[in-house]
Amino acid sequence: MWLDDSAPERDHGSGEDARPEERAVRKEVTGTETAPEETPAAAKEGSHAGALSATCEALFRATEEVLPWAWKLLQLAKGSGALSGAARGASLEFLDRIPPHVRRGVSELQAFSNLWQAVCTRLGRPVARSTEELQRELSEDLQLLLRGAQARLGTTAALEQGLLLHVGRLRESRGMEPGAALELRAALDAFTHAVTQVMTSASAYRRAWEVAEAELAESAAWLGAGDPGFCAWLAEHLAASVPAWREAQASSRLLQELGALSGPA
């Protein structure tokens, strides 16, 4: 399955449920089967908004760096050999599927940032509310944010899974046609390495959505316990996060305006 809208909301291919060949590719890429990669989010900001913004930008930039190699590979893979056919198919598959999906991820982050700010703006209006009314509003808002995070987690998990399989096929192609031109083989190796970096970035972005979704789910469960103190704290916590989400919105808008992810110049 490749990045379709019917992709499941959970990633079933990144852990113990992954098929052996998928785990082998992941182990080769990361150097271990279970240790997580470093996420650039911690250096940028500790909030979920900062983590999502940093990992989304890293994914976008990594995808940009693949594009020249994909187009070069298309130019070199004009022959009729097995390696040329595999290289041509791999570059076309990447160009057709990955840049549109990454652009979609950027727009989805911007939409989620807008939603978060809208929720907090409504909660911050000076309207007299009882504890029960505030709890009801918070519960509705959390469910809205939770569904949004779950949907985006599903699409990022599908992207990660698709890239994992894509890298696996690229690595298998190394054994094809040993007598192929060295320039073609070098370009394919460079393209494979660049796609691997995109997969690493996609994994970090998926994990950032996973952490945000988990905290929203935990907050919803605590809210259901009916603790007035937690209800008041949560309203303040959401309001305090608005500046970080405003920055995430600005970052995603800038990527949409400046990043092309388009064809060759």
Side-chain angles (χ1 to χ4, degrees), residues 138-149:
L138 280 171
S139 180
E140 293 173 354
D141 291 337
L142 277 183
Q143 289 302 320
L144 184 64
L145 292 170
L146 182 57
R147 287 194 296 270

Side-chain angles (χ1 to χ4, degrees), residues 29-52:
V29 170
T30 63
T32 179
E33 204 169 321
T34 57
E37 303 90 344
E38 289 297 323
T39 301
K44 184 171 182 178
E45 185 178 336
S47 70
H48 296 314
L52 288 165

Side-chain angles (χ1 to χ4, degrees), residues 29 31 34 53 56 62 72-73 75 108 144 148 154 160 162 189 201-202 209 238 243 253 256 263:
V29 170
T34 57
S53 178
C56 181
K72 182 176 180 62
L73 202 57
Q75 294 174 347
E108 284 187 343
L144 184 64
E160 181 187 27
D189 284 345
S201 298
W209 276 114
L238 290 173
R253 185 188 301 119
Q256 287 181 308

Side-chain angles (χ1 to χ4, degrees), residues 176-201:
M176 295 181 180
E177 200 177 349
L182 290 178
E183 188 178 12
L184 173 60
R185 301 191 72 86
L188 182 60
D189 284 345
F191 176 72
T192 301
H193 176 74
V195 174
T196 299
Q197 298 307 307
V198 176
M199 191 189 79
T200 300
S201 298

Side-chain angles (χ1 to χ4, degrees), residues 87-128:
R88 187 165 54 247
S91 56
L92 286 173
E93 182 181 31
F94 183 91
L95 291 168
D96 287 345
R97 297 180 182 275
I98 301 303
H101 199 83
V102 173
R103 284 195 299 266
R104 175 183 171 186
V106 172
S107 63
E108 284 187 343
L109 176 58
Q110 184 177 16
F112 190 81
S113 302
N114 293 340
L115 176 62
W116 192 288
Q117 292 178 73
V119 163
C120 294
T121 298
R122 185 173 65 80
L123 284 172
R125 289 173 182 166
V127 178

